Amino acid sequence: MAASAPAIPATMKAIVKESPLGGVSLKTVPTPEVHPGSVICESLAFYFSTGDVKRLTPSDTPSIFTHPTPFVPGGYQIARVAAVGPDATTLKTGQLVLVECWVRGRDNTDAQILWGMFDGVTPASKKLAADYWRDGGLSEYFRSPLENTWALDESRLCGSPSDGGLGYSISELVAVPVFCVAYGGFRTVDLKAGETVVVSPATGHFSMSAVAIADAIGAKVIAVSRNADRLKQLRDIFPRVKTVVPTGDVAADTQAIVAAAGGYVDVFADVSPAAAVGSRHLESCIGAVKQYGRVCLMGGRGDPTLPVGYLTMVIKSLTIRGSFMYEREHVKGLIKLVESGRLPIGKAGGFPVVSEIPVSRYEEAFAEAEKDFGIEGMVTVVRG
């Protein structure tokens, strides 16, 4: 049930990054005003990751994620609508909403930015960030694009299980937008229930979300990771998932994946971080994909070429698809999957909240986000 929205104050606390190489500070700034095509939200819980720490900590090296300064960082969060623009047709004040960061120009969808994180690579995207969507949501209130603000069924998600609810806390819901990238990737290669998918690496937050989604869809999942201890944790959370620890011997690893799957697989989903450059798991995992199989690349590796032969791709009739972020329909489908109860989040889904830190004590979030919680654990920044 939507809660009544409080009066919006004239000023608010916000985390501000003043310069590209500098750090951040807590400031009192004017609260943004609602415009057509936008929503003013009261921030409830913000997902704070190790990536945020790297982007917001002072550095001598410019980040590849450029952004005009000063700005308020942003990203994935759960909020409550405080005011809506005149062209809103569904959202209402007081509604609980998911806010995601993949913003595109309304008159030019090739203008693409990660709201509050990255101003894109084209002049049009940089203009979009600098002129209108400069500030993200690491603040008490924020203005978000209407099309990036998604209503949630609060009674279903947060209600008591005895009344048909799922019993999640607001902070636990921050896991939902984290799943968007993996869900979008699987939609682009049309992963179906009953198919077999290899996910590698499989023991980080984004890669584990791929495991969770594939399992919820009803696919048979083979998780490949060099970290045997974290794979054991993964099996404890997802008992249907099979696991393989690669050795670096491509032929042996390919056969180990095929053996675990009981045959060649339908889909390989790669969620490699930048640090995985040179890793040979791409070769072994692609080698395990069957004739007419699909490969989905949604990681951040910087390899100049794919380590798979031209003739291999031709002879096996492989579909190799890059997938950066997701489409709007994917966000809608993901929310339905969570609200159905098929995709568990929170502790049951391997994403427990380990820290809730008020925005006024943001330095603590930096320290917490850098701790090793194994494959589990989310740090959230909350209002206060």
Side-chain angles (χ1 to χ4, degrees), residues 62-253:
S63 171
I64 61 171
F65 288 99
T66 56
H67 199 288
T69 53
F71 76 103
V72 178
Y76 298 126
Q77 59 199 100
I78 301 299
R80 198 172 295 283
V81 176
V84 296
D87 53 346
T89 60
T90 303
L91 290 175
K92 296 179 175 59
T93 58
Q95 278 185 308
L96 189 70
V97 291
L98 174 158
V99 180
E100 41 88 13
C101 65
W102 184 222
V103 177
R104 282 150 283 190
R106 295 188 178 110
D107 61 343
N108 175 14
T109 55
D110 291 337
Q112 304 170 344
I113 66 172
L114 298 179
W115 173 62
M117 289 186 279
F118 178 43
D119 64 354
V121 297
T122 68
S125 68
K126 292 182 184 297
K127 176 178 172 57
L128 182 66
D131 292 354
Y132 201 69
W133 296 117
R134 175 185 296 251
D135 290 333
L138 198 47
S139 53
E140 292 183 300
Y141 290 86
F142 58 89
R143 181 173 60 228
S144 64
L146 189 62
E147 58 267 51
N148 290 73
T149 309
W150 299 85
L152 299 174
D153 185 341
E154 187 171 1
S155 61
R156 169 62 172 162
L157 292 169
C158 301
S160 170
S162 62
D163 296 325
L166 295 169
Y168 296 129
S169 69
I170 296 297
S171 280
E172 285 178 318
L173 295 179
V174 177
V176 181
V178 177
F179 284 82
C180 287
V181 172
Y183 186 83
F186 284 136
R187 287 287 298 273
T188 63
V189 294
D190 192 27
L191 179 66
K192 300 180 182 68
E195 291 190 315
T196 302
V197 57
V198 173
V199 177
S200 183
T203 52
H205 269 190
F206 282 97
S207 55
M208 195 171 76
S209 72
V211 172
I213 289 166
D215 186 60
I217 289 172
K220 181 178 181 179
V221 183
I222 313 299
V224 178
S225 173
R226 291 178 297 177
N227 193 319
D229 291 337
R230 293 194 175 188
L231 281 180
K232 183 179 182 304
Q233 287 180 276
L234 192 72
R235 286 196 303 272
D236 291 340
I237 300 166
F238 305 104
R240 290 190 296 266
V241 171
K242 304 290 186 181
T243 60
V244 172
V245 179
T247 64
D249 181 322
V250 173
D253 292 342

Side-chain angles (χ1 to χ4, degrees), residues 317-329:
S317 298
L318 295 180
T319 297
I320 298 181
R321 173 69 186 265
S323 180
F324 183 65
M325 304 306 286
Y326 42 82
E327 301 300 326
R328 295 192 71 230
E329 65 179 275

